Amino acid sequence: MNVGDTLPPLEIAVTRTLIVAGAIASRDYQDVHHDAALAREKGSPDIFMNILTTNGLVGRYITDHLGPRAVLRKVAIRLGAPNHPGDTMTLTGTVTAVLGSTVEIRVVGANSIGHHVSGTVIAEVTA
C-alpha cells in the first residue's frame, strides 16, 4: 500500500434490524436505538445507529480490505449525521501514512444526509 491509495467503497444497507441488533450486541439499551416512538419523542425522525455498531463496521471495512493478517491498532472515529433505517452508508478510505507494516487509513462513512462517521484507523499487516 502507498500513501494516496484508495480502498474500494463499501455500501451498507442501514436496516432496522442492523441498528437494533448492533445496539443489543454492544449492550446499548438506550431507547433511541430500538424504539421509534420514543426516538421521535426525543426529536429524532426514527431510531438511529449507535457508535459501537459504527465502530465495528469501520473495523470490518478495513480488515475486509487488508485481509486476515491485519490487526487493528487504533480506531479513532467521530460521528456526524445519524444513520436511520432505510438509508445506505457508503464507507470509503484513503491511505494517509505507511511505516513498515503499519498503515494509517482515513475513513469516511456517508449517507443521504451527510457524513455519518469520519476518522482514522491504524492497522498492522503481519507477514
Side-chain angles (χ1 to χ4, degrees):
M1 298 198 84
N2 298 300
V3 172
D5 286 354
T6 58
L7 281 62
L10 174 64
E11 291 187 356
I12 298 170
V14 180
T15 64
R16 192 168 301 279
T17 299
L18 175 63
I19 293 170
V20 174
I24 291 169
S26 60
R27 302 176 73 173
D28 182 348
Y29 305 115
Q30 191 172 6
D31 53 19
V32 294
H33 303 308
H34 64 84
D35 188 317
L38 289 174
R40 281 191 286 277
E41 280 181 26
K42 294 180 178 180
S44 179
D46 204 337
I47 63 172
F48 54 90
M49 187 176 286
N50 72 354
I51 192 168
L52 297 170
T53 302
T54 300
N55 195 64
L57 293 170
V58 167
R60 169 194 159 197
Y61 175 58
I62 300 300
T63 57
D64 280 359
H65 181 73
L66 296 180
R69 293 193 171 144
V71 176
L72 301 180
R73 297 294 181 197
K74 182 178 180 182
V75 177
I77 60 171
R78 176 177 295 246
L79 291 183
N83 266 341
H84 294 290
D87 210 341
T88 298
M89 177 175 66
T90 302
L91 290 165
T92 57
T94 304
V95 176
T96 54
V98 178
L99 182 58
S101 62
T102 302
V103 61
E104 180 183 79
I105 301 171
R106 172 88 177 138
V107 176
V108 174
N111 61 31
S112 67
I113 57 176
H115 286 175
H116 169 68
V117 63
S118 60
T120 58
V121 176
I122 297 174
E124 184 177 358
V125 182
T126 58

